[in-house]
C-alpha cells in the first residue's frame, strides 16, 4: 500500500498496483522515494478521492478485455467524467501533475465533447472565462473564418 | 530536479484547499490536448475566440494547419458571390468566399516562383512558395485590393483607398505609397485599378466604368482608361498619354503587357480588357464587358463574344498559351 496526502492534510491508502498508473508516483517508488507518505501539494482531497476512484477501477485495465469487463469500464468512464467544469479542471490538473495518461485522455476528450458546437458566449459563461481579447482581435478572428460563427445550429445554451 | 525531489520541495509551500479552477489559466499544452480533439474546423475556430490564452494555444499547437473532417464544396449557383460547403459528419452548411485572383512571380516550373492570391472578396492576400505546407497571409491590408504584381523582388498591391502596399518576397511589409491620380473621383463612375509592369516600370491603369442600366439591374460598361507611371524613387505618379509600342491586357487574370514590335499582329497602344465585374456585381446581364481600348483615339471597340455563362464566376480571362 502507498500513502498519499492531499494539500488539505488528508491521507489516503492506495494499492501500489493502482497508484503506479501515475508515472510520477511510479518513478518515485522505483527511485525508493516513497517509503512514507507521499505529499501532493497541488491536489485537494476532493480531487484526490476522484483520482483514486479512477485508479482503483482501472487497476486491471489490461485484463478487462479478457474478462469481458470492457463495457463495464466504458460505462464507468462515462459516469466518471459526468462532473462540473470546475471539478473537471481540477481532475485534469491532477492527472497532468501525477502524469496519468489515460485519465488525461479521458478528461480532455470529455472537455472537447462538451465544447463541440457551443457558441463562444456559451463557453465563456459555462467556464466562467472573462473575455480578454481586444475588440480588434475578436473581429480579426471572425473575419478570418466568418463561417464558424454563422448558422442557427450553434448551441448558445449554457449546459 | 527529479519528480520526487520536486514534490518534497513543493510540500513546504502554502497549500490551497479550495478549487481554483480558472480555465483561462489552464497550461497551453493542456489546452492543446483539448483543442486537438475538436475535429470540426468551426469548433476549433470558436475555441480560439474564447480568450487570449485559448487563442495562443490554438496558434501554438498549429491547429490551424491541422486537417479537419472534410467538407463537400457545393457546385456554384448562379447568383451567389460565395461558395457553399457542407459537412456530412454534422450536417452543417457553410459559405465562404474564394480566391479572386492569383499572381505568379515566375513560371510555376521555376523554384523561385511565389504564388500570391487575392481572396475573401478582395479583402485579403496570401502567398505560397514551392515546398510550403500552407499559405502565409500578408499583413497591413485594410481595404479592398484591386490588383497586385511582382516586380524587382518585391510584391505590390493596390487598394481602393488609393494606396500601393509593398512587401518583400518573404511577406514582410515594407512600405506604402499613395496613388494620386490627377482625376478627381466622383460617385458616378466606378473605378478599378490594375498594376502592370511595362519595360521594367510600374504602371497603374485606371479603368473607368459607368452604369448603363436600362432596367433595375446594374450594368457596368467600360468607358475609358487612364494610365499612370510610378517614379519609384520619388514616389510620384505621372500620367501617361501613350503606351507607345506596347499593349496591356487586364481583367481577372494577372495584368500583363505585350510588345507589339515583337508581336505586330497585336494592335499597339491599346488596352485589351475583359469583364471582371470590377468587384461590384456578380453577373453579366446582356453581354460581357470585353473589348479593346485604343489609347490614342480614346475609343472602345468590342470583341466578339459567346453567350452569357450561367456561372457567375466563370469569367472570361486573358491567358498566354504555352506548349511546355
Amino acid at each position: 500500500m502507498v500513502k498519499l496526502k492531499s494539500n488539505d492534510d488528508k491521507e489516503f491508502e492506495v494499492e501500489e498496483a493502482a497508484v503506479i498508473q501515475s508515472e510520477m508516483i511510479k518513478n518515485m517508488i522505483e527511485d525508493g522515494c516513497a517509503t512514507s507518505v507521499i505529499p501532493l501539494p497541488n491536489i485537494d482531497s476532493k480531487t484526490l478521492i476522484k483520482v483514486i476512484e479512477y485508479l482503483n477501477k482501472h487497476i486491471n485495465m489490461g485484463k478487462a478485455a479478457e474478462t469481458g469487463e470492457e463495457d463495464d469500464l466504458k460505462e464507468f468512464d462515462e459516469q466518471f467524467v459526468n462532473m462540473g467544469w470546475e471539478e473537471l479542471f481540477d481532475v485534469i490538473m491532477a492527472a497532468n501533475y501525477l502524469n496519468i495518461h489515460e485519465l488525461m485522455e479521458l478528461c480532455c476528450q470529455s472537455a472537447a465533447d462538451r465544447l463541440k458546437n457551443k457558441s463562444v458566449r456559451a463557453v465563456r459563461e459555462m467556464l466562467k472565462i472573462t473575455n480578454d481579447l481586444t475588440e480588434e482581435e475578436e473581429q480579426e478572428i471572425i473575419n478570418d473564418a466568418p463561417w464558424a460563427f454563422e448558422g442557427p445550429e450553434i448551441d448558445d445554451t449554457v449546459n | 530536479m527529479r519528480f520526487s525531489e520536486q514534490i518534497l520541495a513543493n510540500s513546504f509551500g502554502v497549500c490551497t484547499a479550495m478549487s481554483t479552477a480558472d480555465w483561462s489559466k489552464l497550461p497551453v499544452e493542456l489546452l492543446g490536448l483539448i483543442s486537438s480533439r475538436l475535429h470540426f474546423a468551426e469548433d476549433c475556430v470558436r475555441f480560439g475566440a474564447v480568450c487570449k490564452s485559448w487563442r495562443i494555444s490554438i496558434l501554438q499547437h498549429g491547429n490551424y494547419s491541422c486537417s479537419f473532417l472534410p467538407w463537400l464544396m457545393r457546385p456554384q449557383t448562379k447568383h451567389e458571390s460565395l461558395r457553399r460547403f457542407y459537412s456530412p459528419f454534422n450536417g452543417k452548411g457553410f459559405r465562404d468566399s474564394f480566391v479572386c485572383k492569383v499572381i505568379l512571380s515566375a513560371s510555376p516550373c521555376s523554384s523561385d516562383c511565389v504564388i500570391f492570391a487575392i481572396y475573401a472578396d478582395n479583402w485579403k492576400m496570401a502567398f505560397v512558395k514551392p515546398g510550403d505546407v500552407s499559405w502565409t497571409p500578408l499583413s497591413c491590408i485594410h481595404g479592398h485590393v484591386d490588383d497586385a504584381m511582382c516586380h524587382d523582388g518585391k510584391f505590390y498591391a493596390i487598394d481602393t483607398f488609393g494606396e500601393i502596399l509593398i512587401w518583400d518576397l518573404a511577406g514582410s511589409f515594407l512600405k506604402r505609397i499613395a496613388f494620386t491620380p490627377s482625376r478627381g473621383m466622383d460617385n458616378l463612375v466606378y473605378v478599378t485599378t490594375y498594376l502592370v509592369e511595362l519595360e521594367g516600370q510600374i504602371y497603374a491603369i485606371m479603368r473607368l466604368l459607368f452604369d448603363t442600366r436600362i432596367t433595375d439591374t446594374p450594368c457596368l460598361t467600360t468607358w475609358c482608361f487612364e494610365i499612370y507611371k510610378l517614379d519609384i524613387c520619388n514616389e510620384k505618379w505621372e500620367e501617361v498619354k501613350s503606351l507607345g509600342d506596347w499593349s496591356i491586357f487586364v481583367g481577372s487574370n494577372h495584368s500583363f503587357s505585350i510588345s507589339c514590335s515583337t508581336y505586330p499582329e497585336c494592335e499597339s497602344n491599346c488596352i485589351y480588357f475583359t469583364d471582371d465585374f470590377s468587384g461590384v456585381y456578380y453577373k453579366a446581364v446582356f453581354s460581357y464587358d470585353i473589348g479593346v481600348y485604343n489609347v490614342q483615339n480614346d475609343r472602345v471597340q468590342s470583341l466578339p463574344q459567346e453567350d452569357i455563362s450561367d456561372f457567375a464566376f466563370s469569367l472570361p480571362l486573358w491567358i498566354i498559351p504555352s506548349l511546355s
Side-chain angles (χ1 to χ4, degrees), chain A residues 7 24 39 44 85 89-90 97 104-105 109 117-118 124 132-133 143-144 147-148, chain B residues 7 15-17 19 21-23 30 37 43 46 49-52 55 92 96 124:
Chain A
N7 66 7
M24 187 199 86
D44 62 22
W85 282 103
F89 180 93
D90 290 337
Y97 177 65
M104 261 323 264
E105 292 264 316
Q109 187 61 55
N117 203 30
K118 283 283 177 190
R124 285 181 192 143
D132 57 355
L133 293 163
N143 288 346
D144 275 348
W147 44 265
Chain B
I7 285 179
C15 297
T16 47
S19 167
D22 182 347
W23 282 94
L30 302 188
R37 286 170 170 76
D43 285 327
R46 289 197 296 265
V50 169
C51 64
K52 276 204 166 97
R55 172 115 195 106
K92 281 199 214 158
D96 203 4
K124 285 180 186 172

mmCIF file of all heavy atoms in Angstrom, chain A residues 7 24 39 44 85 89-90 97 104-105 109 117-118 124 132-133 143-144 147-148, chain B residues 7 15-17 19 21-23 30 37 43 46 49-52 55 92 96 124:
data_model
loop_
_atom_site.group_PDB
_atom_site.id
_atom_site.type_symbol
_atom_site.label_atom_id
_atom_site.label_comp_id
_atom_site.label_asym_id
_atom_site.label_seq_id
_atom_site.Cartn_x
_atom_site.Cartn_y
_atom_site.Cartn_z
ATOM 1 N N ASN A 7 -3.374 18.245 -0.242
ATOM 2 C CA ASN A 7 -2.867 19.529 0.266
ATOM 3 C C ASN A 7 -3.687 20.058 1.446
ATOM 4 O O ASN A 7 -3.304 21.030 2.075
ATOM 5 C CB ASN A 7 -2.732 20.564 -0.861
ATOM 6 C CG ASN A 7 -4.072 20.971 -1.447
ATOM 7 O OD1 ASN A 7 -5.140 20.573 -0.937
ATOM 8 N ND2 ASN A 7 -4.041 21.749 -2.511
ATOM 9 N N MET A 24 4.353 9.528 -12.352
ATOM 10 C CA MET A 24 5.144 10.272 -11.385
ATOM 11 C C MET A 24 5.394 9.449 -10.137
ATOM 12 O O MET A 24 6.533 9.323 -9.662
ATOM 13 C CB MET A 24 4.418 11.569 -11.018
ATOM 14 C CG MET A 24 5.256 12.466 -10.156
ATOM 15 S SD MET A 24 4.264 13.676 -9.310
ATOM 16 C CE MET A 24 3.789 12.778 -7.869
ATOM 17 N N PRO A 39 3.406 13.376 -0.218
ATOM 18 C CA PRO A 39 2.593 14.599 -0.179
ATOM 19 C C PRO A 39 2.287 15.090 -1.594
ATOM 20 O O PRO A 39 3.161 15.067 -2.454
ATOM 21 C CB PRO A 39 3.501 15.595 0.546
ATOM 22 C CG PRO A 39 4.883 15.102 0.334
ATOM 23 C CD PRO A 39 4.838 13.640 -0.010
ATOM 24 N N ASP A 44 -6.205 18.763 -3.915
ATOM 25 C CA ASP A 44 -7.011 18.754 -2.689
ATOM 26 C C ASP A 44 -7.682 17.392 -2.518
ATOM 27 O O ASP A 44 -7.695 16.567 -3.445
ATOM 28 C CB ASP A 44 -8.015 19.917 -2.678
ATOM 29 C CG ASP A 44 -9.018 19.829 -3.822
ATOM 30 O OD1 ASP A 44 -9.228 18.730 -4.357
ATOM 31 O OD2 ASP A 44 -9.595 20.875 -4.179
ATOM 32 N N TRP A 85 -17.675 21.629 -14.610
ATOM 33 C CA TRP A 85 -16.459 22.149 -15.252
ATOM 34 C C TRP A 85 -15.341 22.393 -14.246
ATOM 35 O O TRP A 85 -14.177 22.162 -14.545
ATOM 36 C CB TRP A 85 -16.778 23.447 -15.994
ATOM 37 C CG TRP A 85 -17.448 23.229 -17.312
ATOM 38 C CD1 TRP A 85 -18.771 23.385 -17.593
ATOM 39 C CD2 TRP A 85 -16.827 22.802 -18.532
ATOM 40 N NE1 TRP A 85 -19.012 23.083 -18.903
ATOM 41 C CE2 TRP A 85 -17.840 22.724 -19.513
ATOM 42 C CE3 TRP A 85 -15.521 22.475 -18.888
ATOM 43 C CZ2 TRP A 85 -17.573 22.340 -20.830
ATOM 44 C CZ3 TRP A 85 -15.261 22.104 -20.201
ATOM 45 C CH2 TRP A 85 -16.282 22.026 -21.149
ATOM 46 N N PHE A 89 -11.759 20.573 -14.318
ATOM 47 C CA PHE A 89 -10.494 21.325 -14.353
ATOM 48 C C PHE A 89 -9.514 20.764 -13.329
ATOM 49 O O PHE A 89 -8.351 20.490 -13.635
ATOM 50 C CB PHE A 89 -10.787 22.809 -14.052
ATOM 51 C CG PHE A 89 -9.564 23.687 -14.055
ATOM 52 C CD1 PHE A 89 -9.174 24.355 -15.206
ATOM 53 C CD2 PHE A 89 -8.811 23.865 -12.894
ATOM 54 C CE1 PHE A 89 -8.052 25.175 -15.215
ATOM 55 C CE2 PHE A 89 -7.678 24.681 -12.897
ATOM 56 C CZ PHE A 89 -7.300 25.336 -14.062
ATOM 57 N N ASP A 90 -10.008 20.566 -12.092
ATOM 58 C CA ASP A 90 -9.139 20.056 -11.019
ATOM 59 C C ASP A 90 -8.599 18.668 -11.355
ATOM 60 O O ASP A 90 -7.432 18.371 -11.101
ATOM 61 C CB ASP A 90 -9.906 20.021 -9.693
ATOM 62 C CG ASP A 90 -10.180 21.431 -9.179
ATOM 63 O OD1 ASP A 90 -9.439 22.357 -9.572
ATOM 64 O OD2 ASP A 90 -11.140 21.593 -8.388
ATOM 65 N N TYR A 97 -0.425 16.544 -13.294
ATOM 66 C CA TYR A 97 0.607 16.567 -12.258
ATOM 67 C C TYR A 97 1.101 15.157 -11.940
ATOM 68 O O TYR A 97 2.298 14.888 -11.875
ATOM 69 C CB TYR A 97 0.021 17.248 -11.021
ATOM 70 C CG TYR A 97 0.937 17.287 -9.833
ATOM 71 C CD1 TYR A 97 2.125 18.011 -9.874
ATOM 72 C CD2 TYR A 97 0.605 16.630 -8.643
ATOM 73 C CE1 TYR A 97 2.966 18.066 -8.777
ATOM 74 C CE2 TYR A 97 1.433 16.680 -7.537
ATOM 75 C CZ TYR A 97 2.614 17.390 -7.604
ATOM 76 O OH TYR A 97 3.443 17.433 -6.530
ATOM 77 N N MET A 104 -5.891 11.651 -18.332
ATOM 78 C CA MET A 104 -5.765 12.890 -19.106
ATOM 79 C C MET A 104 -6.602 12.798 -20.381
ATOM 80 O O MET A 104 -7.365 13.699 -20.710
ATOM 81 C CB MET A 104 -4.305 13.062 -19.544
ATOM 82 C CG MET A 104 -3.429 13.969 -18.757
ATOM 83 S SD MET A 104 -4.192 15.389 -18.144
ATOM 84 C CE MET A 104 -3.759 16.512 -19.406
ATOM 85 N N GLU A 105 -6.400 11.687 -21.091
ATOM 86 C CA GLU A 105 -7.111 11.456 -22.354
ATOM 87 C C GLU A 105 -8.618 11.550 -22.129
ATOM 88 O O GLU A 105 -9.332 12.234 -22.851
ATOM 89 C CB GLU A 105 -6.803 10.043 -22.883
ATOM 90 C CG GLU A 105 -5.379 9.867 -23.337
ATOM 91 C CD GLU A 105 -5.263 10.062 -24.838
ATOM 92 O OE1 GLU A 105 -6.115 9.539 -25.560
ATOM 93 O OE2 GLU A 105 -4.323 10.753 -25.263
ATOM 94 N N GLN A 109 -10.900 14.554 -23.586
ATOM 95 C CA GLN A 109 -11.926 14.173 -24.555
ATOM 96 C C GLN A 109 -13.294 14.672 -24.089
ATOM 97 O O GLN A 109 -14.087 15.197 -24.871
ATOM 98 C CB GLN A 109 -11.944 12.648 -24.731
ATOM 99 C CG GLN A 109 -12.868 12.172 -25.851
ATOM 100 C CD GLN A 109 -12.456 12.735 -27.214
ATOM 101 O OE1 GLN A 109 -11.319 12.580 -27.637
ATOM 102 N NE2 GLN A 109 -13.379 13.406 -27.884
ATOM 103 N N ASN A 117 -19.780 22.405 -30.875
ATOM 104 C CA ASN A 117 -20.973 23.101 -31.342
ATOM 105 C C ASN A 117 -21.468 24.213 -30.415
ATOM 106 O O ASN A 117 -22.531 24.774 -30.612
ATOM 107 C CB ASN A 117 -22.106 22.091 -31.604
ATOM 108 C CG ASN A 117 -23.116 22.642 -32.573
ATOM 109 O OD1 ASN A 117 -22.779 23.436 -33.444
ATOM 110 N ND2 ASN A 117 -24.368 22.245 -32.406
ATOM 111 N N LYS A 118 -20.682 24.520 -29.383
ATOM 112 C CA LYS A 118 -21.103 25.585 -28.454
ATOM 113 C C LYS A 118 -20.700 26.951 -28.998
ATOM 114 O O LYS A 118 -19.650 27.096 -29.625
ATOM 115 C CB LYS A 118 -20.421 25.368 -27.097
ATOM 116 C CG LYS A 118 -21.064 24.268 -26.267
ATOM 117 C CD LYS A 118 -22.344 24.769 -25.651
ATOM 118 C CE LYS A 118 -23.039 23.648 -24.878
ATOM 119 N NZ LYS A 118 -24.386 24.047 -24.464
ATOM 120 N N ARG A 124 -17.788 30.809 -22.657
ATOM 121 C CA ARG A 124 -17.284 31.752 -21.647
ATOM 122 C C ARG A 124 -18.145 31.701 -20.385
ATOM 123 O O ARG A 124 -17.622 31.719 -19.265
ATOM 124 C CB ARG A 124 -17.287 33.175 -22.207
ATOM 125 C CG ARG A 124 -16.179 33.436 -23.197
ATOM 126 C CD ARG A 124 -16.239 34.876 -23.675
ATOM 127 N NE ARG A 124 -15.371 35.092 -24.828
ATOM 128 C CZ ARG A 124 -15.666 35.885 -25.845
ATOM 129 N NH1 ARG A 124 -16.809 36.552 -25.851
ATOM 130 N NH2 ARG A 124 -14.824 36.046 -26.842
ATOM 131 N N ASP A 132 -10.713 38.387 -22.561
ATOM 132 C CA ASP A 132 -9.636 39.387 -22.514
ATOM 133 C C ASP A 132 -9.074 39.702 -23.895
ATOM 134 O O ASP A 132 -8.018 40.298 -24.026
ATOM 135 C CB ASP A 132 -8.520 38.942 -21.559
ATOM 136 C CG ASP A 132 -7.950 37.581 -21.941
ATOM 137 O OD1 ASP A 132 -8.475 36.955 -22.881
ATOM 138 O OD2 ASP A 132 -6.982 37.150 -21.297
ATOM 139 N N LEU A 133 -9.810 39.279 -24.941
ATOM 140 C CA LEU A 133 -9.386 39.645 -26.298
ATOM 141 C C LEU A 133 -9.845 41.070 -26.581
ATOM 142 O O LEU A 133 -10.906 41.481 -26.117
ATOM 143 C CB LEU A 133 -10.028 38.707 -27.326
ATOM 144 C CG LEU A 133 -9.602 37.242 -27.316
ATOM 145 C CD1 LEU A 133 -10.602 36.394 -28.080
ATOM 146 C CD2 LEU A 133 -8.216 37.078 -27.908
ATOM 147 N N ASN A 143 -13.403 37.696 -38.883
ATOM 148 C CA ASN A 143 -13.169 37.973 -40.301
ATOM 149 C C ASN A 143 -12.423 36.842 -40.991
ATOM 150 O O ASN A 143 -12.627 36.566 -42.164
ATOM 151 C CB ASN A 143 -12.366 39.261 -40.475
ATOM 152 C CG ASN A 143 -13.201 40.486 -40.152
ATOM 153 O OD1 ASN A 143 -14.423 40.402 -40.048
ATOM 154 N ND2 ASN A 143 -12.542 41.615 -39.957
ATOM 155 N N ASP A 144 -11.504 36.205 -40.224
ATOM 156 C CA ASP A 144 -10.713 35.120 -40.809
ATOM 157 C C ASP A 144 -11.583 33.925 -41.184
ATOM 158 O O ASP A 144 -11.299 33.221 -42.136
ATOM 159 C CB ASP A 144 -9.641 34.649 -39.815
ATOM 160 C CG ASP A 144 -8.394 35.503 -39.912
ATOM 161 O OD1 ASP A 144 -8.292 36.279 -40.864
ATOM 162 O OD2 ASP A 144 -7.530 35.388 -39.021
ATOM 163 N N TRP A 147 -17.594 31.880 -41.330
ATOM 164 C CA TRP A 147 -18.480 30.713 -41.385
ATOM 165 C C TRP A 147 -18.551 29.975 -40.057
ATOM 166 O O TRP A 147 -19.508 29.252 -39.809
ATOM 167 C CB TRP A 147 -18.033 29.769 -42.500
ATOM 168 C CG TRP A 147 -16.550 29.568 -42.544
ATOM 169 C CD1 TRP A 147 -15.673 30.262 -43.328
ATOM 170 C CD2 TRP A 147 -15.763 28.661 -41.769
ATOM 171 N NE1 TRP A 147 -14.389 29.838 -43.093
ATOM 172 C CE2 TRP A 147 -14.414 28.856 -42.143
ATOM 173 C CE3 TRP A 147 -16.057 27.704 -40.789
ATOM 174 C CZ2 TRP A 147 -13.371 28.132 -41.562
ATOM 175 C CZ3 TRP A 147 -15.013 26.984 -40.228
ATOM 176 C CH2 TRP A 147 -13.690 27.196 -40.615
ATOM 177 N N ALA A 148 -17.537 30.144 -39.214
ATOM 178 C CA ALA A 148 -17.530 29.422 -37.937
ATOM 179 C C ALA A 148 -18.478 30.077 -36.930
ATOM 180 O O ALA A 148 -18.733 29.540 -35.856
ATOM 181 C CB ALA A 148 -16.112 29.373 -37.378
ATOM 182 N N ILE B 7 8.471 17.279 -5.537
ATOM 183 C CA ILE B 7 7.312 17.165 -4.652
ATOM 184 C C ILE B 7 7.673 17.535 -3.232
ATOM 185 O O ILE B 7 6.976 18.301 -2.570
ATOM 186 C CB ILE B 7 6.746 15.739 -4.685
ATOM 187 C CG1 ILE B 7 6.001 15.556 -5.999
ATOM 188 C CG2 ILE B 7 5.808 15.482 -3.523
ATOM 189 C CD1 ILE B 7 5.433 14.202 -6.151
ATOM 190 N N CYS B 15 -0.409 25.612 1.008
ATOM 191 C CA CYS B 15 -1.377 24.741 0.350
ATOM 192 C C CYS B 15 -2.647 25.515 0.032
ATOM 193 O O CYS B 15 -3.059 26.397 0.764
ATOM 194 C CB CYS B 15 -1.740 23.583 1.256
ATOM 195 S SG CYS B 15 -0.323 22.567 1.609
ATOM 196 N N THR B 16 -3.236 25.148 -1.076
ATOM 197 C CA THR B 16 -4.525 25.746 -1.410
ATOM 198 C C THR B 16 -5.589 24.671 -1.274
ATOM 199 O O THR B 16 -5.460 23.600 -1.835
ATOM 200 C CB THR B 16 -4.521 26.282 -2.853
ATOM 201 O OG1 THR B 16 -3.979 25.280 -3.692
ATOM 202 C CG2 THR B 16 -3.722 27.547 -2.979
ATOM 203 N N ALA B 17 -6.597 24.971 -0.520
ATOM 204 C CA ALA B 17 -7.572 23.939 -0.209
ATOM 205 C C ALA B 17 -8.699 23.869 -1.241
ATOM 206 O O ALA B 17 -9.044 22.806 -1.715
ATOM 207 C CB ALA B 17 -8.163 24.185 1.170
ATOM 208 N N SER B 19 -10.983 24.645 -4.787
ATOM 209 C CA SER B 19 -10.755 24.634 -6.222
ATOM 210 C C SER B 19 -10.506 26.051 -6.716
ATOM 211 O O SER B 19 -11.192 26.988 -6.327
ATOM 212 C CB SER B 19 -11.984 24.079 -6.933
ATOM 213 O OG SER B 19 -11.887 24.348 -8.303
ATOM 214 N N ALA B 21 -10.323 26.604 -10.031
ATOM 215 C CA ALA B 21 -10.487 26.348 -11.465
ATOM 216 C C ALA B 21 -10.588 27.644 -12.251
ATOM 217 O O ALA B 21 -11.538 28.396 -12.105
ATOM 218 C CB ALA B 21 -11.737 25.503 -11.697
ATOM 219 N N ASP B 22 -9.582 27.911 -13.062
ATOM 220 C CA ASP B 22 -9.628 29.050 -13.969
ATOM 221 C C ASP B 22 -9.219 28.525 -15.333
ATOM 222 O O ASP B 22 -8.052 28.310 -15.614
ATOM 223 C CB ASP B 22 -8.666 30.142 -13.489
ATOM 224 C CG ASP B 22 -8.727 31.376 -14.393
ATOM 225 O OD1 ASP B 22 -9.314 31.272 -15.495
ATOM 226 O OD2 ASP B 22 -8.199 32.425 -13.992
ATOM 227 N N TRP B 23 -10.224 28.304 -16.163
ATOM 228 C CA TRP B 23 -9.977 27.664 -17.460
ATOM 229 C C TRP B 23 -9.117 28.508 -18.379
ATOM 230 O O TRP B 23 -8.531 27.992 -19.314
ATOM 231 C CB TRP B 23 -11.303 27.315 -18.143
ATOM 232 C CG TRP B 23 -11.918 26.069 -17.569
ATOM 233 C CD1 TRP B 23 -12.829 25.996 -16.581
ATOM 234 C CD2 TRP B 23 -11.630 24.715 -17.957
ATOM 235 N NE1 TRP B 23 -13.142 24.679 -16.314
ATOM 236 C CE2 TRP B 23 -12.426 23.871 -17.159
ATOM 237 C CE3 TRP B 23 -10.787 24.126 -18.901
ATOM 238 C CZ2 TRP B 23 -12.408 22.483 -17.270
ATOM 239 C CZ3 TRP B 23 -10.764 22.745 -19.025
ATOM 240 C CH2 TRP B 23 -11.562 21.929 -18.212
ATOM 241 N N LEU B 30 -2.022 21.753 -22.164
ATOM 242 C CA LEU B 30 -3.243 21.009 -21.827
ATOM 243 C C LEU B 30 -4.424 21.510 -22.667
ATOM 244 O O LEU B 30 -5.264 20.721 -23.110
ATOM 245 C CB LEU B 30 -3.565 21.135 -20.336
ATOM 246 C CG LEU B 30 -2.476 20.647 -19.374
ATOM 247 C CD1 LEU B 30 -2.995 20.636 -17.948
ATOM 248 C CD2 LEU B 30 -1.990 19.257 -19.762
ATOM 249 N N ARG B 37 -8.657 17.619 -29.979
ATOM 250 C CA ARG B 37 -9.756 16.644 -30.076
ATOM 251 C C ARG B 37 -11.005 17.234 -30.736
ATOM 252 O O ARG B 37 -12.034 16.577 -30.789
ATOM 253 C CB ARG B 37 -10.092 16.113 -28.677
ATOM 254 C CG ARG B 37 -9.049 15.147 -28.183
ATOM 255 C CD ARG B 37 -9.222 14.806 -26.733
ATOM 256 N NE ARG B 37 -8.352 13.720 -26.373
ATOM 257 C CZ ARG B 37 -7.043 13.822 -26.169
ATOM 258 N NH1 ARG B 37 -6.460 15.001 -26.299
ATOM 259 N NH2 ARG B 37 -6.314 12.769 -25.858
ATOM 260 N N ASP B 43 -15.492 24.324 -34.692
ATOM 261 C CA ASP B 43 -15.307 24.237 -33.236
ATOM 262 C C ASP B 43 -13.932 24.777 -32.852
ATOM 263 O O ASP B 43 -13.762 25.442 -31.831
ATOM 264 C CB ASP B 43 -15.432 22.778 -32.768
ATOM 265 C CG ASP B 43 -16.881 22.302 -32.745
ATOM 266 O OD1 ASP B 43 -17.775 23.137 -32.476
ATOM 267 O OD2 ASP B 43 -17.124 21.108 -32.986
ATOM 268 N N ARG B 46 -13.840 28.585 -33.031
ATOM 269 C CA ARG B 46 -14.530 29.197 -31.878
ATOM 270 C C ARG B 46 -13.726 29.007 -30.602
ATOM 271 O O ARG B 46 -13.701 29.888 -29.750
ATOM 272 C CB ARG B 46 -15.946 28.630 -31.747
ATOM 273 C CG ARG B 46 -16.893 29.106 -32.833
ATOM 274 C CD ARG B 46 -18.341 28.873 -32.445
ATOM 275 N NE ARG B 46 -18.628 27.463 -32.319
ATOM 276 C CZ ARG B 46 -19.156 26.714 -33.298
ATOM 277 N NH1 ARG B 46 -19.461 27.274 -34.456
ATOM 278 N NH2 ARG B 46 -19.377 25.442 -33.127
ATOM 279 N N ALA B 49 -11.463 31.707 -30.108
ATOM 280 C CA ALA B 49 -12.081 33.029 -29.957
ATOM 281 C C ALA B 49 -12.572 33.266 -28.531
ATOM 282 O O ALA B 49 -13.175 34.289 -28.237
ATOM 283 C CB ALA B 49 -13.251 33.171 -30.937
ATOM 284 N N VAL B 50 -12.304 32.311 -27.628
ATOM 285 C CA VAL B 50 -12.837 32.421 -26.264
ATOM 286 C C VAL B 50 -12.066 33.449 -25.434
ATOM 287 O O VAL B 50 -12.646 34.336 -24.816
ATOM 288 C CB VAL B 50 -12.862 31.029 -25.576
ATOM 289 C CG1 VAL B 50 -13.153 31.166 -24.095
ATOM 290 C CG2 VAL B 50 -13.898 30.132 -26.240
ATOM 291 N N CYS B 51 -10.754 33.329 -25.412
ATOM 292 C CA CYS B 51 -9.930 34.297 -24.674
ATOM 293 C C CYS B 51 -8.495 34.207 -25.185
ATOM 294 O O CYS B 51 -8.185 33.360 -26.022
ATOM 295 C CB CYS B 51 -9.990 34.063 -23.172
ATOM 296 S SG CYS B 51 -9.298 32.472 -22.680
ATOM 297 N N LYS B 52 -7.633 35.080 -24.666
ATOM 298 C CA LYS B 52 -6.255 35.185 -25.186
ATOM 299 C C LYS B 52 -5.494 33.866 -25.088
ATOM 300 O O LYS B 52 -4.863 33.434 -26.048
ATOM 301 C CB LYS B 52 -5.492 36.279 -24.432
ATOM 302 C CG LYS B 52 -5.731 37.664 -24.984
ATOM 303 C CD LYS B 52 -4.576 38.611 -24.642
ATOM 304 C CE LYS B 52 -4.654 39.875 -25.461
ATOM 305 N NZ LYS B 52 -5.301 40.999 -24.781
ATOM 306 N N ARG B 55 -6.604 31.325 -27.483
ATOM 307 C CA ARG B 55 -6.163 31.710 -28.831
ATOM 308 C C ARG B 55 -4.710 31.294 -29.050
ATOM 309 O O ARG B 55 -4.348 30.722 -30.066
ATOM 310 C CB ARG B 55 -6.297 33.230 -28.970
ATOM 311 C CG ARG B 55 -5.699 33.796 -30.235
ATOM 312 C CD ARG B 55 -6.771 34.393 -31.112
ATOM 313 N NE ARG B 55 -6.319 34.628 -32.464
ATOM 314 C CZ ARG B 55 -6.686 33.872 -33.487
ATOM 315 N NH1 ARG B 55 -7.458 32.838 -33.316
ATOM 316 N NH2 ARG B 55 -6.271 34.161 -34.703
ATOM 317 N N LYS B 92 -23.888 20.259 -41.256
ATOM 318 C CA LYS B 92 -23.916 21.718 -41.306
ATOM 319 C C LYS B 92 -23.478 22.259 -42.649
ATOM 320 O O LYS B 92 -22.680 21.652 -43.346
ATOM 321 C CB LYS B 92 -22.980 22.272 -40.241
ATOM 322 C CG LYS B 92 -23.615 22.238 -38.881
ATOM 323 C CD LYS B 92 -22.892 23.166 -37.981
ATOM 324 C CE LYS B 92 -22.882 22.617 -36.583
ATOM 325 N NZ LYS B 92 -21.816 23.171 -35.818
ATOM 326 N N ASP B 96 -18.356 30.462 -47.807
ATOM 327 C CA ASP B 96 -17.099 31.199 -47.683
ATOM 328 C C ASP B 96 -16.730 31.759 -49.048
ATOM 329 O O ASP B 96 -17.131 31.230 -50.077
ATOM 330 C CB ASP B 96 -15.977 30.307 -47.158
ATOM 331 C CG ASP B 96 -14.863 31.123 -46.500
ATOM 332 O OD1 ASP B 96 -15.014 32.361 -46.392
ATOM 333 O OD2 ASP B 96 -13.866 30.530 -46.079
ATOM 334 N N LYS B 124 -8.320 40.213 -48.698
ATOM 335 C CA LYS B 124 -7.150 39.564 -48.108
ATOM 336 C C LYS B 124 -6.209 39.057 -49.174
ATOM 337 O O LYS B 124 -6.626 38.785 -50.296
ATOM 338 C CB LYS B 124 -7.586 38.375 -47.262
ATOM 339 C CG LYS B 124 -8.196 38.790 -45.952
ATOM 340 C CD LYS B 124 -8.603 37.591 -45.179
ATOM 341 C CE LYS B 124 -9.338 38.025 -43.936
ATOM 342 N NZ LYS B 124 -9.893 36.870 -43.271
#
